[in-house]
Amino acid sequence: MTSPDTRSDREKVVSKLPLRLRQELKIRAAQRGVDIQEAVETGITTWRSLGSNLSPIDTSGAESFATFLPATQWTGFRADCKDRGVSLIQGLAQSVQVWLDHHPAPAVRRPAIVRRIVVCNQKGGVGKTAITAGTGEALAEDPTALMPVRVSKHFAALLDEANDTDTDNGGDRYDPLALEDLPGLGQRVLLVDFDPQGHLTKQLGQEPLPMGGDSLTNHMAGDAKGDLRDVIVAIDEDRFGDRLHLLPACTDAFLLDVRLASVRAREAALERALAPVEADYDVILIDCPPSLGLSMDAAAYYGRRRPDEVPGNSGTLIVVQAEDSSADAYDLLTSQIEDMRTDLALELDYLGIVVNHYDARRGYIATSSLQSWMDIKDPRVVGVIGDLKEQKEAVRVKRPLLSYAPRCDQSVGLRALAREISK
């Protein structure tokens, strides 16, 4: 059945397609960056050009499927199906399969040099741990499945929406029109809990490393007791496959600054410790402690731009809140980073600012502070994450947020953040 499409020279076509092919077509089209209608058009054109019939496809349970095709293509396709003695449903299924066979899923893009993202702010309570975990989860999601991502909104539009408190979702509007289903990024990710408080470790349902055993602190201090891989654990959730790993915290990190004071080239201690495992990952995220001490120096140094590394591949991601004390802490942190840039002649990139725990219902302080962050152009705001209940619930049940509530507004925003800093 067809009907005119007044928007172009295409006509709407309604037929049926097996659910398996519909899903595979939707995912593959998104992976290849093409419209579904273009994929079907190309598949039909290729199918019609073949000189022989293809093996039949099981179309039992086929469900309604609609698309737009160029005018007259469907008529010619119907005639070809009749000549070949196949039903329209069978011909369409074969055409879609032909397109899938000719357009395999693209390989996951992997960086030439492991990306090192240092999530930091010397002020506690801004949500560095949640941003570290959520960004890592978004980077590691299944590349063969589609995830809702907020990509069509510019931050100016987001600000306008955030200022509108007449919403149904706790002051943070969930607008389906601003979402797009995209394949997961499929990156191999290591989350490093660099904070002796161990919030990242506990939130992901893992136990801190025992005192007296091996730990990141020991490796940084030159007292390693084994292979660092032996203390890394996988986050066992289907949507991440075996791509999301954690290096747990150990309370011996409280002594890290003291131990680093006697270490040679102490600013490079974190890099020396993690170097043996870098080849296993595409991205390493460091959840920094709320500190401006030697450990922060080592984390910042680790995020510096290496020889032959493109700008923006690695660097610091600064997490703030829309309130005044975050601005004071931000000034202290950026002063430390600028001092390191100068004293050690580092090329240390800012990946951006994330405004976390945002809630427009808090009034002028929140909205005006958000605008102030937006006004900073270097580093620029790369994400605004709402203060909603799902994150707190995920922490309570010790599960990754993107597994616990994959379609909540925070998950959608974290996927956008992961893509924004991956451009």
Side-chain angles (χ1 to χ4, degrees):
M1 183 179 73
T2 66
S3 61
D5 175 20
T6 57
R7 298 167 297 176
S8 66
D9 60 349
R10 292 176 177 266
E11 58 185 2
K12 184 177 181 181
V13 172
V14 180
S15 183
K16 290 185 177 182
L17 197 64
L19 182 60
R20 175 191 66 82
L21 281 178
R22 290 179 61 186
Q23 283 297 105
E24 196 169 349
L25 173 63
K26 184 177 180 181
I27 293 170
R28 189 71 52 79
Q31 290 172 329
R32 306 285 302 196
V34 301
D35 291 334
I36 290 178
Q37 63 183 22
E38 293 177 5
V40 175
E41 175 190 346
T42 302
I44 289 177
T45 299
T46 304
W47 181 85
R48 294 180 67 190
S49 69
L50 298 176
S52 60
N53 283 344
L54 301 179
S55 300
I57 292 175
D58 182 5
T59 60
S60 58
E63 298 180 359
S64 180
F65 174 78
T67 188
F68 290 91
L69 297 176
T72 74
Q73 186 186 49
W74 188 248
T75 301
F77 175 64
R78 290 170 62 96
D80 286 348
C81 286
K82 183 176 181 181
D83 291 342
R84 298 186 189 188
V86 299
S87 68
L88 283 172
I89 297 174
Q90 181 64 216
L92 180 60
Q94 291 183 12
S95 298
V96 169
Q97 188 63 60
V98 164
W99 185 83
L100 291 170
D101 292 342
H102 282 74
H103 297 82
V108 173
R109 293 172 52 192
R110 305 204 182 279
I113 298 175
V114 62
R115 300 187 64 209
R116 300 160 324 279
I117 301 174
V118 179
V119 185
C120 54
N121 191 332
Q122 64 93 19
K123 182 180 185 300
V126 297
K128 294 186 295 292
T129 296
I131 296 302
T132 303
T135 303
E137 293 162 23
L139 287 165
E141 283 187 306
D142 188 352
T144 66
L146 297 182
M147 317 292 174
V149 184
R150 177 170 286 123
V151 295
S152 58
K153 248 194 249 184
H154 296 297
F155 284 118
L158 177 61
L159 179 60
D160 290 341
E161 178 186 283
N163 286 333
D164 178 7
T165 58
D166 184 18
T167 66
D168 297 324
N169 195 21
D172 197 354
R173 180 181 299 166
Y174 186 89
D175 181 5
L177 297 178
L179 303 183
E180 183 175 345
D181 284 336
L182 295 176
L185 295 174
Q187 299 288 288
R188 300 167 301 176
V189 176
L190 175 64
L191 304 174
V192 177
D193 194 344
F194 200 42
D195 187 341
Q197 298 175 90
H199 293 314
L200 178 61
T201 300
K202 297 168 187 174
Q203 286 185 19
L204 293 175
Q206 303 297 320
E207 292 296 326
L209 297 172
M211 290 287 289
D214 207 5
S215 67
L216 178 60
T217 300
N218 286 336
H219 282 256
M220 291 179 66
D223 296 326
K225 300 182 179 181
D227 190 328
L228 193 63
R229 290 182 180 86
D230 293 340
V231 295
I232 293 175
V233 296
I235 303 303
D236 187 17
E237 296 277 355
D238 289 343
R239 71 189 309 107
F240 309 124
D242 190 32
R243 293 178 297 274
L244 184 63
H245 293 176
L246 169 72
L247 176 52
C250 181
T251 52
D252 64 0
F254 279 114
L255 303 173
L256 179 58
D257 281 8
V258 174
R259 296 179 70 180
L260 284 180
S262 60
V263 171
R264 175 186 57 82
R266 56 180 176 261
E267 69 277 356
L270 180 59
E271 182 165 306
R272 289 195 298 268
L274 293 177
V277 303
E278 285 187 351
D280 299 337
Y281 300 100
D282 301 309
V283 186
I284 297 177
L285 292 101
I286 311 296
D287 183 25
C288 291
S291 167
L292 294 178
L294 297 179
S295 56
M296 184 58 214
D297 283 348
Y301 184 88
Y302 186 60
R304 81 194 189 287
R305 194 189 313 166
R306 294 177 178 176
D308 300 323
E309 186 172 15
V310 298
N313 186 66
S314 300
T316 58
L317 185 65
I318 302 174
V319 183
V320 301
Q321 288 181 289
E323 41 78 38
D324 294 339
S325 62
S326 274
D328 296 335
Y330 168 82
D331 290 339
L332 291 171
L333 174 63
T334 52
S335 293
Q336 180 180 12
I337 291 173
E338 293 305 319
D339 287 344
M340 290 196 68
R341 277 175 157 178
T342 302
D343 296 344
L344 300 177
L346 302 183
E347 291 184 296
L348 181 54
D349 296 327
Y350 291 111
L351 299 180
I353 297 170
V354 181
V355 183
N356 194 31
H357 295 164
Y358 182 74
D359 188 346
R361 294 174 300 176
R362 294 179 181 137
Y364 174 74
I365 293 296
T367 57
S368 62
S369 179
L370 176 57
Q371 183 62 65
S372 296
W373 293 119
M374 294 285 188
D375 290 340
I376 299 175
K377 303 306 180 186
D378 184 21
R380 64 191 178 91
V381 171
V382 292
V384 178
I385 308 300
D387 187 13
L388 300 175
K389 62 183 179 65
E390 286 83 2
Q391 175 63 49
K392 300 178 181 66
E393 292 172 352
V395 170
R396 172 64 64 86
V397 299
K398 300 186 184 305
R399 288 191 62 195
L401 172 66
L402 273 67
S403 290
Y404 174 76
R407 300 192 66 85
C408 77
D409 196 73
Q410 289 162 318
S411 294
V412 168
L414 286 163
R415 292 190 188 100
L417 168 62
R419 283 165 169 78
E420 188 68 24
I421 62 175
S422 299
K423 290 180 178 178

